Amino acid sequence: MGMSMGSGGGRRGGRKSVMAEINVTPMVDVMLVLLIIFMVAAPLMTSTIDIDLPIARGGNATASNAPPLTLSVKRTGGSCNSNVELYLGDAPISSEELLPKIKAIRETRTEADNVVFLRGDRDVCYTDMMKLLGNIKAAGFKANIVIIPEQGS
């Protein structure tokens, strides 16, 4: 009943045989990821027709020294089509004086300076803003409505 060391049923040599197979699963995973990357990136790499454009010489730069014309609208109370304050630049102006005043300003400006920035209070009614846009168009200006973008966009 003695215990014998070294003989008996254990493993001989203590090593397993080497596996000669290649595990292709990680390689397939890498290839699929690369395929997806190339499928997404390929449309982004397409370019338009490559042409050599001529260099234009002469002419004048259209840099304007005149400040942009700004029309601000603030609702002071009441319902729609009632009480609004108009400011041309920083100066208050009545709605009756607005159209003749911006027509006179339009005649002094060049074609490149024909934009009015319209700033409307969030409480101003839609009809008031549309009337002002109509007056701006009647004076010969283009209108850009100034807004504050939403947070996160």
Side-chain angles (χ1 to χ4, degrees), residues 1 32 35 71-72 84 92 98 100 103 110 114 126 130-131 152:
M1 284 226 220
L32 288 174
L35 177 68
L71 179 63
S72 302
V84 291
L98 178 66
K103 278 186 178 180
T110 63
N114 67 346
Y126 179 79
M130 291 300 108
K131 285 180 185 177

Side-chain angles (χ1 to χ4, degrees), residues 47-53:
S47 63
T48 58
I49 299 170
D50 188 22
I51 56 174
D52 190 13
L53 296 174

Side-chain angles (χ1 to χ4, degrees), residues 73-75 80 84 120-126 128-129 132:
V73 186
K74 183 177 180 183
R75 184 172 169 196
C80 285
V84 291
D121 191 25
R122 79 173 64 214
D123 295 329
V124 174
C125 294
Y126 179 79
D128 294 330
M129 292 295 285
L132 291 172

